[in-house]
Structure formats: C-alpha cells, structure tokens
Amino acid sequence: KNQVEQSPQSLIILEGKNCTLQCNYTVSPFSNLRWYKQDTGRGPVSLTIMTFSENTKSNGRYTATLDADTKQSSLHITASQLSDSASYICVVSPNDYKLSFGAGTTVTVRA
Amino acid sequence: EAQVTQNPRYLITVTGKKLTVTCSQNMNHEYMSWYRQDPGLGLRQIYYSMNVEVTDKGDVPEGYKVSRKEKRNFPLILESPSPNQTSLYFCASSDRGYYNEQFFGPGTRLTVL
C-alpha cells in the first residue's frame, strides 16, 4: 500500500478559480514534505518543501499547508491559469535520501 | 545552465538486449537517483548514490544495475530488459543540505518489446 495518498485523482477547473489538492501520508519517521509540479512529458519541478515544524509555505500562487499531527498536507492554487494544467505530486521524505511519492493529482484548467 | 541530462530520450528495444541510459549533471551534486514512473503508481526509486562509488537500492531495484565512477554521471543499466521494464525513467540529483531539493532530468521513455 502506498504510504502517500493523494486526492482527488484528477480535477477540472475554470481559469481564474481556486482549487485545493489533498495529501495524506503514513511515512514515518518524517523529515520533510514536498510538492512537485510535473508538466506532461517532463520531469517534476519543486514547488515547496516543508519540514515538520513548518505549517505553511507559499510559492507565488501556490500555498502548501502541513499538519504533521494528522499527517495531512494540502496544496492550494489561487487564481488558476492555463499553465497550471499539470500533475501535482506530493512527496514525503523520511530522511535525506529516500523519497515516497504519491500518484499525483492531474489538474486541467479550462478557459 | 544548471541541468540534469538523460540519453536517450526515447528508446524501443527487444527483450534481452542490454541497454544503458546515461544521466549527467553539471551542478556538482553529490546525490543522484533513478526513478521509474508508471501510470497510477507514481514515481518509484530504483537506485540512489550518495557519492562516488557509493550506491544503494531503492524500492524497485530488481533487473537494474548502476555505477557511480564519476561525480557527474550515474548510468542506469538494464542487463536483460523485459517488457515489465517498459516505463518512463527519471534521473535526479541534489546537493547535501537539509532540504536537499532534487532536480529532475527530462525523462527517458523506454519500451521493451
């Protein structure tokens, strides 16, 4: 069973609207949690990285939150743009070198 | 330009024919890793290397080999490819540090017939 579960699997939103993606994890111990954006056919690109002591981090229109007690994270996209269409991957790291990946949420932004 | 490069980007081969996918980074990173990505499963780590001559197995190492003779290069070797190794492969590198942000290559799409 995957130790990092993401929901929804996919979603469609209209340009300019907001959306929130969810990530639940069971990875232990916990070092940090990352959100990556992956455009079709390309490698993932880091959006945010948070340690257990951080509960929110922003990168432009992307805001990630973390609740280490409940082992939940979310990624909020504000005022979506067509270029936000991509897969968003939650990654949990128990140490410096091992990464556990979620299956990703595919976001489609429509004009 | 700081980057991770992979070659080839696309490869179609037949069962049992040995192949090597190269990975090179120009950021002087100590850590490098290989992943495979399959639909619905997300990325899974194959092997990683914390430094030259130091490698370790990830979650799905069976059927793969790696070597790290130079800091910048980390080739992935499939000695006898099988159809279940058809996948999208990514190489990544990072520097030491608390966040050790990983930089991914563009991917190699491998099809084994």
Side-chain angles (χ1 to χ4, degrees), chain B residues 86-101:
Chain B
T86 293
S87 188
L88 179 59
Y89 291 86
F90 288 100
C91 179
S93 73
S94 69
D95 206 351
R96 284 189 179 276
Y98 193 70
Y99 285 133
N100 66 308
E101 178 180 350

Side-chain angles (χ1 to χ4, degrees), chain B residues 9-21:
Chain B
R9 294 289 314 281
Y10 303 91
L11 179 60
I12 300 175
T13 189
V14 295
T15 299
K17 186 176 181 181
K18 181 179 178 180
L19 67 91
T20 299
V21 183

